Amino acid sequence: MAEANTFFESKEVKAFNEKIKKDDLGPLWNAIPELVSQQPKQTAKPYLWKWPLVKKHLMEATEIFTPDRGGERRAIYFQNPGLKDREPWGWGSTTQNLYAAVQLIQPGETAPSHRHTQSALRFVISGEGAYSIIQGEKMYMEKGDFLVTPQWLWHGHGHEGEEPMIWMDVLDIPFIFATGGSFFEGHPDGLEKPSQENNYSAQRYEGGMVRPKADRKPLKAPVGAYKWSQTEAALDGLSRFDADPADGYTVEFVNPSTGQPANANIAAWVQRLPMGFHGEAHRHTNTSIIYVHEGSGYTIIEGEKFAWETGDFLAIPSWNWHEHVNSGDQEAHLFSVHDTPIMEAFNLQQEEFTEAQTITSEFEPNM
């Protein structure tokens, strides 16, 4: 192999490579080690965004961007610095396949309804009085609520409260962009008019693990909003038993009519890390984005320490060793999203575990 590599660097080979390049052809003999690597190679970087800085920019945006100035959504997305060279707009890539953002809506504002082939979800960070209308259902949002918008469902927002409402958006924009499957349509009425009772699906599923008989057939989104009170109760029950060695006490949001992830391409969890928890180091082919809902601690990624606290956002690329630590004085709750369903659909999902990592450096975030 060493002799072959040396030969590939010869004038003869380089000249031939340049010759076929002019005819829009490529040399597999040189390309294959990088195109078909022995393990996943990522240009995405582990990264941490601090909430005070993100909130500062978001509040500044309220003075510039308003719905009546043509902005569909007042949102700032998390651009992974290792993926900035993707054109256009870095594909909105927080990780290889996922986009994440924070969105703010002011009292009295509305965001017009639209639909698209990208899957979308929301996790409410702060505020009350705002709502989403998804496929005719008006759902009021509270801190800690999780809302889903599978592909091609109408969705828009409004705000009847008195304070700004902020939530986290997650979509599979980079994946859909790369596959060439993006379609978008605006609603003819602007903001879709409700056609069902308010909070209809959440009321139908107040029983938690039981479902209406009518939902035995698969539906896209039988539950539109998953209330924090139910999520917290599920974590309380799970916490009576042993924690997962890597991820603590973790629940996943699922579609109760199918048992599959609530959104087809994006898995969403809430993790509870008990005080003193130090997770086992592991890595997997799926990427992850974490929002710190409550608590403080740090995550070690490939030997680098990322210290986090309430409100921060963390990106973990594919196949990076990582372990979570709760170093605070209370339980930590992490909302996290993963492109696991995409990896599983293509039979690419793998996971490995290893010994605890040695911290060799500490990430210094923008403040």
Side-chain angles (χ1 to χ4, degrees), residues 224-244:
Y226 299 69
K227 307 301 289 183
W228 174 251
S229 58
Q230 287 186 310
T231 303
E232 193 171 34
L235 288 167
D236 289 342
L238 194 61
S239 296
R240 300 187 187 108
F241 307 98
D242 292 336
D244 181 274

Side-chain angles (χ1 to χ4, degrees), residues 6-24:
T6 301
F7 175 65
F8 290 164
E9 294 303 314
S10 68
K11 291 182 179 180
E12 179 184 5
V13 171
K14 287 183 176 181
F16 185 75
N17 289 351
E18 285 299 315
K19 181 179 180 180
I20 65 173
K21 182 179 179 181
K22 293 176 182 178
D23 291 319
D24 299 309

Side-chain angles (χ1 to χ4, degrees), residues 98 139 164 169 203 228 288 297 326:
L98 297 179
M139 291 171 278
D169 282 323
Q203 293 182 72
W228 174 251
S288 304
N326 180 355

Side-chain angles (χ1 to χ4, degrees), residues 32-352:
I32 196 167
E34 295 181 83
L35 296 180
V36 187
S37 57
Q38 293 182 347
Q39 293 187 359
K41 289 185 177 181
Q42 285 284 341
T43 56
K45 296 180 179 179
Y47 204 78
L48 179 76
W49 294 266
K50 300 295 292 182
W51 175 240
L53 179 64
V54 174
K55 186 178 181 181
K56 173 177 176 289
H57 290 317
L58 196 57
M59 297 309 296
E60 289 173 349
T62 65
E63 304 297 323
I64 304 171
F65 304 100
T66 59
D68 60 358
R69 290 178 177 170
E72 280 265 328
R73 302 291 190 262
R74 184 191 291 111
I76 296 175
Y77 64 88
F78 299 97
Q79 176 63 67
N80 191 294
L83 300 173
K84 285 182 178 179
D85 60 348
R86 290 179 164 184
E87 292 293 341
W89 299 103
W91 298 3
S93 303
T94 308
T95 65
Q96 189 75 13
N97 292 316
L98 297 179
Y99 155 106
V102 285
Q103 183 171 165
L104 185 150
I105 187 170
Q106 294 278 43
E109 291 183 342
T110 59
S113 297
H114 59 217
R115 61 183 179 178
H116 39 65
T117 46
Q118 292 81 359
S119 298
L121 59 85
R122 284 170 291 288
F123 187 82
V124 182
I125 294 173
S126 64
E128 58 182 19
Y131 60 86
S132 287
I133 300 178
I134 302 176
Q135 210 66 12
E137 181 185 353
K138 187 176 182 178
M139 291 171 278
Y140 286 92
M141 298 183 279
E142 301 173 310
K143 180 180 178 180
D145 287 356
F146 169 75
L147 290 87
V148 299
T149 311
Q151 296 170 316
W152 212 241
L153 296 189
W154 293 114
H155 56 287
H157 317 295
H159 195 353
E160 299 170 355
E162 299 179 355
E163 300 292 335
M165 190 86 173
I166 302 174
W167 61 80
M168 176 186 183
D169 282 323
V170 180
L171 293 88
D172 52 2
I173 289 174
F175 174 71
I176 299 298
F177 186 91
T179 56
S182 180
F183 290 88
F184 176 95
E185 182 179 355
H187 197 282
D189 296 332
L191 182 62
E192 181 187 14
K193 294 178 176 61
S195 58
Q196 303 179 46
E197 182 180 342
N198 293 348
N199 301 315
Y200 174 72
S201 64
Q203 293 182 72
R204 291 183 75 235
Y205 276 87
E206 283 184 0
M209 284 302 294
V210 296
R211 69 184 178 194
K213 181 174 73 70
D215 290 358
R216 293 186 72 248
K217 295 181 179 180
L219 301 170
K220 259 193 172 183
V223 180
Y226 299 69
K227 307 301 289 183
W228 174 251
S229 58
Q230 287 186 310
T231 303
E232 193 171 34
L235 288 167
D236 289 342
L238 194 61
S239 296
R240 300 187 187 108
F241 307 98
D242 292 336
D244 181 274
D247 292 311
Y249 299 105
T250 304
V251 294
E252 180 178 3
F253 296 102
V254 298
N255 178 329
S257 72
T258 64
Q260 298 301 310
N263 269 13
N265 292 338
I266 310 170
W269 306 348
V270 172
Q271 298 169 247
R272 174 179 290 174
L273 307 183
M275 289 174 54
F277 178 84
H278 191 134
E280 189 173 354
H282 64 301
R283 64 181 180 181
H284 34 66
T285 45
N286 68 276
T287 66
S288 304
I289 305 168
I290 294 172
Y291 164 68
V292 183
H293 183 57
E294 296 172 335
S296 60
Y298 59 91
T299 298
I300 307 169
I301 307 176
E302 294 290 338
E304 188 172 13
K305 179 180 178 181
F306 292 76
W308 42 256
E309 57 190 343
T310 301
D312 293 348
F313 295 82
L314 178 67
I316 304 177
S318 171
W319 214 238
N320 276 217
W321 291 113
H322 59 282
E323 56 197 272
H324 304 304
V325 181
N326 180 355
S327 58
D329 57 4
Q330 66 179 67
E331 293 175 331
H333 287 110
L334 311 178
F335 171 74
S336 60
V337 293
H338 317 263
D339 55 0
T340 314
I342 295 173
M343 294 295 106
E344 290 176 339
F346 291 98
N347 296 316
L348 299 175
Q349 181 66 2
Q350 294 190 39
E351 185 173 15
E352 293 182 351

